Amino acid sequence: MEKYTKHTNVAALMNRANVDTDQIIAKQFLKKVERTGFGQHLFHDWCYLEDGTPNPKFELNNPAFDGARVLVVGDNFGCGSSREHAPWAIEDYGFNTIISTSYADIFYNNCFKNGILPIVVDAPTLKALMTEIEENPGVAFTVDLENQAVTTPKGTQVAFEIDGFRKTNLLSGLDDIGLTLKHTDKISEYETTHKERFPWLWAS
Amino acid sequence: MAKTMYEKIWDSHLVHEEPGQAPLLYIDRHLMHEVTSPQAFEGLDLAGRPIRNTHSILATLDHCVPTKLADRINLPDPIGAKQVRRMMENCEKHGLTLYDMESQNNGIIHVVVPEHGFVHPGMTTVCGDSHTATHGAFGALAFGIGTSEVEHVMATQCLPQTKSKTMLVNVNGTLSKFSTAKDIALAIIGKIGTAGGNGYVIEYAGSAIEALSMQGRMTLCNMAIESGARAGLVAPDQKTYDFLEGKEFTPKGDGWEKALAYWKSLPSDADAQHDTVIELDAADIAPQVTWGTSPEQVVPVDKKVPSPADFADAGKAKSCESALEYMGLTGGTNITDIKIDYVFLGSCTNSRLEDFRAAAEVVKGSKVAAGVTAIAVPGSYQVKKDAEAEGIDKIFLDAGWEWREPGCSMCLAMNGDQLKPQERCASTSNRNFEGRQGKGGRTHLVSPAMAAATAAAGRFVDIRTLEQG
Ligand code: SF4
């Protein structure tokens, strides 16, 4: 996983609430057994017209948002299925930051496994950020994870909260599994007593 | 200190905790299907990591599996077939139990796992699938995870976790004989919204929940995820123990007594504190029908489709507007005036024997309305066999329904079963998202009995007004 560093990039706006993971990556793309190449299918049904050409009305097809790395979206983003294909597609498309008022739980977790920072802001702040993009499509936001702040050209400063552990992992690009494996002794110790208490868990 | 059931399970599975790190939780059971695991196996192999406890894993093939017998043999979709093959190879290589398509145990993961008693009260259970919440019906902490976490659990048998808040949803009173666990689930989501449970584990309690069968509790917990909750829980009781006793993976003899004593210690202490408490009266819960593209867009069957103006919240009004457009509906339409093209009876929400019995009561002696296609898809071969032993397949076939092989089928439409654009479906599944049942398809979520009545009438019916014969 790549380290998450401070960056200034175009922020794309998708003013929709309850965007579910079926919309983010449609089921017909879930059959792949690889982890890569999902970006081209992001928001497929909204992105393309019946004949396969890009839908000019779809927000992300706005040329002003070319090269965007920040995605600003409505409430409860990523609800529905647990498919990690959703953050894979978002990351592969080029986004590494999402800003919304809330996320579905599993999606939120999955973001951190893939170097994506999902920022939570309150409703008035989200509205202000959305307005700034609407007034000036193509505007770039600066995201500083270290100092937990988003800055806009208008001078808006948004401080955000994030769990310390998740922050460290994003900043260092560390492999979660490796971290857990450092506690192998503890896991084995736990299993020994767990086995005594619940022997039937190991019966097969 | 008094503890909730969630806290008891959490505390007993805590492996390690230190400042600045997420607590490490031990995972007892790991369920798998073909769609969310191939990349996890690949990651494991690339890192040269073994699976820590192969006994903790039970796998099935369900999402990509066709429900027409001929297609199960040929697997017409080459990409889906590759995923199925990869799952078989991975399980073979790592020595995992897999209920493949030839196995008489095959079916939807959340249906077959309880059939074999693989998940017990007090266990932590995960699966790369959001409807893992189903197993909360047994008083197990069961939640969906992503593919990276699937790999994590295979390698370490643990997951770094943040503790959730707890929400107590009390449903007291008596449910009318026409309403079901599905209607309770939809009514709760209608009340708290699809984001209402974000950050919470929900514990369902109250006399109406105690009165539910194990199947009903599974239906209810299955939909906990649709309210945004991490998991749903129901306290284990005699029904739970009776259901589990004698099953393949449940303890026997002394082990059973020991297990039972532990299970009885799990329910929340009487004075335990929940972060939020919600109350519903079961008597108020009418059969529910969703009208939009989110499970929270739901009303009782005798009501009308709302208009954007009915919502004070601007965001909800906007969602209503786009949902009506997608669904091809106009605000103010009676739910019972909406005509349908398709009926799907199945999915891990409602494809157990009890669901088919309830639907068969209504289907008996009826005929599927002209122009309507109705398919009945048992959740597993076990359900199929049991239903056939009772003659339920005949009842459906005589009425003009199709009687299929088990699988996820039209719940997510990646296996050949799907709606065409603009087709309207009464479905017993759990998600009415845009395109969930096929691009442009329009889904209305209902209970099995409601689905059955809809098939015969060709439009939604208030089953409370049907002659019960
Ligand atoms: S039936 Fe539907 S919800 Fe259940 S596991 Fe299959 S696809 Fe998921």
Side-chain angles (χ1 to χ4, degrees):
Chain A
M1 201 170 81
E2 247 180 73
K3 287 183 186 172
Y4 193 100
T5 48
K6 180 174 167 178
H7 64 99
T8 302
N9 274 299
V10 171
L13 171 62
M14 241 176 87
N15 190 1
R16 306 184 190 222
N18 295 317
V19 173
D20 59 73
T21 52
D22 279 76
Q23 303 311 326
I24 298 174
I25 184 82
K27 65 194 118 266
Q28 62 266 37
F29 307 113
L30 301 186
K31 292 173 187 166
K32 287 176 54 160
V33 293
E34 299 83 23
R35 219 177 242 265
T36 49
F38 289 96
Q40 54 183 315
H41 306 307
L42 182 70
F43 299 119
H44 180 275
D45 290 2
W46 290 337
C47 203
Y48 301 100
L49 296 170
E50 286 299 324
D51 62 3
T53 56
N55 177 2
K57 282 203 203 134
F58 180 54
E59 296 94 312
L60 297 190
N61 288 339
N62 182 345
F65 296 151
D66 282 356
R69 301 214 71 190
V70 181
L71 178 63
V72 180
V73 288
D75 309 341
N76 196 30
F77 188 71
C79 56
S81 140
S82 64
R83 61 188 68 161
E84 197 162 321
H85 312 70
W88 291 339
I90 289 172
E91 193 268 343
D92 191 45
Y93 187 92
F95 293 115
N96 70 352
T97 309
I98 312 176
I99 304 179
S100 176
T101 53
S102 59
Y103 303 88
D105 193 47
I106 304 175
F107 175 81
Y108 186 76
N109 275 325
N110 282 340
C111 282
F112 290 98
K113 317 280 179 205
N114 295 284
I116 302 168
L117 170 63
I119 297 177
V120 180
V121 297
D122 60 19
T125 305
L126 185 70
K127 187 137 199 294
L129 293 176
M130 286 183 165
T131 309
E132 189 162 344
I133 302 175
E134 274 165 1
E135 287 171 353
N136 186 11
V139 65
F141 292 175
T142 301
V143 186
D144 182 353
L145 172 57
E146 184 85 60
N147 296 303
Q148 299 179 210
V150 177
T151 327
T152 74
K154 249 187 168 178
T156 311
Q157 276 261 10
V158 180
F160 60 87
E161 294 293 315
I162 183 168
D163 175 83
F165 172 66
R166 289 185 157 136
K167 177 176 168 180
T168 317
N169 284 6
L170 273 185
L171 287 172
S172 62
L174 273 181
D175 164 12
D176 263 17
I177 298 182
L179 275 178
T180 299
L181 284 173
K182 279 200 208 150
H183 300 299
T184 302
D185 290 358
K186 298 252 164 38
I187 301 172
S188 300
E189 224 172 84
Y190 176 88
E191 278 181 340
T192 311
T193 48
H194 200 55
K195 260 179 199 165
E196 280 163 18
R197 259 184 98 186
F198 313 115
W200 60 87
L201 285 182
W202 275 264
S204 62
Chain B
M1 206 188 74
K3 285 184 185 177
T4 62
M5 184 160 43
Y6 171 67
E7 287 165 329
K8 291 181 191 184
I9 302 174
W10 174 275
D11 290 350
S12 69
H13 286 82
L14 206 54
V15 170
H16 180 65
E17 213 175 2
E18 72 182 56
Q21 295 206 7
L24 213 53
L25 211 61
Y26 194 76
I27 303 300
D28 295 317
R29 292 297 198 222
H30 190 177
L31 321 176
M32 275 187 200
H33 62 71
E34 74 276 21
V35 177
T36 52
S37 60
Q39 292 89 351
F41 280 107
E42 189 192 13
L44 208 63
D45 290 350
L46 284 176
R49 290 168 175 149
I51 296 181
R52 189 168 175 94
N53 181 4
T54 51
H55 290 314
S56 69
I57 299 174
L58 188 65
T60 189
L61 298 169
D62 53 9
H63 283 61
C64 286
V65 167
T67 60
K68 288 182 180 154
L69 200 53
D71 291 346
R72 282 170 93 87
I73 298 158
N74 301 325
L75 291 178
D77 171 12
I79 318 172
K82 185 171 170 196
Q83 205 164 53
V84 162
R85 268 200 316 275
R86 184 64 63 87
M87 187 67 180
M88 294 172 74
E89 288 157 13
N90 282 329
C91 289
E92 163 102 41
K93 176 170 165 194
H94 293 277
L96 307 179
T97 308
L98 170 70
Y99 296 157
D100 64 20
M101 276 188 286
E102 273 155 32
S103 164
Q104 278 310 297
N105 294 334
N106 179 255
I108 306 171
I109 186 78
H110 308 307
V111 176
V112 299
V113 160
E115 284 172 350
H116 295 274
F118 193 62
V119 173
H120 313 162
M123 279 182 170
T124 49
T125 299
V126 296
C127 174
D129 191 285
S130 54
H131 293 96
T132 311
T134 310
H135 310 282
F138 293 87
L141 177 62
F143 53 92
I145 56 177
T147 299
S148 296
E149 290 172 312
V150 169
E151 184 182 338
H152 201 129
V153 176
M154 283 201 279
T156 70
Q157 213 60 40
C158 292
L159 273 183
Q161 284 291 296
T162 33
K163 203 167 174 184
S164 304
K165 294 178 283 181
T166 62
M167 178 188 288
L168 180 67
V169 176
N170 262 323
V171 191
N172 281 301
T174 312
L175 208 56
S176 110
K177 69 171 176 173
F178 303 103
S179 294
T180 66
K182 180 66 163 284
D183 302 300
I184 300 182
L186 287 169
I188 293 171
I189 297 164
K191 188 177 167 102
I192 69 173
T194 47
N198 278 359
Y200 289 96
V201 164
I202 294 180
E203 181 174 339
Y204 301 99
S207 57
I209 307 299
E210 284 160 28
L212 289 177
S213 67
M214 287 314 293
Q215 281 90 346
R217 294 176 191 179
M218 286 185 239
T219 301
L220 179 67
C221 288
N222 175 276
M223 292 199 68
I225 186 72
E226 305 319 327
S227 57
R230 183 142 191 77
L233 282 170
V234 175
D237 60 10
Q238 196 56 44
K239 281 183 193 166
T240 321
Y241 316 141
D242 291 345
F243 183 99
L244 287 172
E245 193 166 10
K247 294 258 185 321
E248 183 181 350
F249 293 100
T250 45
K252 312 280 173 334
D254 267 4
W256 174 259
E257 293 307 322
K258 219 175 148 190
L260 209 53
Y262 171 60
W263 297 345
K264 287 182 176 168
S265 74
L266 287 167
S268 293
D269 298 329
D271 46 351
Q273 292 295 316
H274 293 267
D275 298 288
T276 304
V277 179
I278 306 277
E279 304 277 347
L280 277 90
D281 186 346
D284 295 342
I285 300 176
Q288 307 277 311
V289 181
T290 64
W291 51 268
T293 53
S294 162
E296 72 182 29
Q297 293 174 322
V298 64
V299 287
V301 60
D302 54 350
K303 295 285 188 294
K304 293 176 193 303
V305 174
S307 307
D310 298 334
F311 296 91
D313 178 277
K316 287 215 176 358
K318 191 166 178 244
S319 301
C320 172
E321 193 184 326
S322 56
L324 291 182
E325 192 192 331
Y326 179 85
M327 295 296 287
L329 292 172
T330 318
T333 309
N334 290 320
I335 293 288
T336 49
D337 287 338
I338 301 174
K339 293 205 175 74
I340 53 99
D341 309 298
Y342 223 105
V343 179
F344 169 58
L345 175 53
S347 90
C348 60
T349 312
N350 282 126
S351 66
R352 299 179 180 84
L353 185 59
E354 182 179 287
D355 301 314
F356 287 96
R357 283 180 179 155
E361 289 271 309
V362 181
V363 170
K364 206 175 206 159
S366 76
K367 280 275 178 269
V368 172
V372 173
T373 308
I375 65 170
V377 187
S380 69
Y381 271 121
Q382 186 66 51
V383 172
K384 184 167 186 265
K385 216 162 49 193
D386 292 347
E388 287 171 357
E390 293 181 12
I392 288 176
D393 56 327
K394 293 268 171 344
I395 295 175
F396 279 93
L397 288 166
D398 287 349
W401 285 66
E402 294 178 34
W403 182 253
R404 298 283 186 88
E405 305 298 303
C408 294
S409 182
M410 204 186 263
C411 173
L412 93 167
M414 63 184 286
N415 39 51
D417 298 344
Q418 58 179 359
L419 296 177
K420 295 193 201 71
Q422 269 99 57
E423 269 185 334
R424 189 181 296 288
C425 178
S427 174
T428 64
S429 57
N430 43 52
R431 285 188 178 141
N432 51 348
F433 298 160
E434 285 185 25
R436 172 81 180 181
Q437 297 195 286
K439 191 173 178 188
R442 295 162 172 168
T443 303
H444 297 266
L445 304 175
V446 290
S447 73
M450 283 285 289
T454 305
R459 57 178 176 79
F460 290 106
V461 179
D462 187 342
I463 47 174
R464 295 170 299 184
T465 62
L466 287 182
E467 288 276 337
Q468 294 292 303

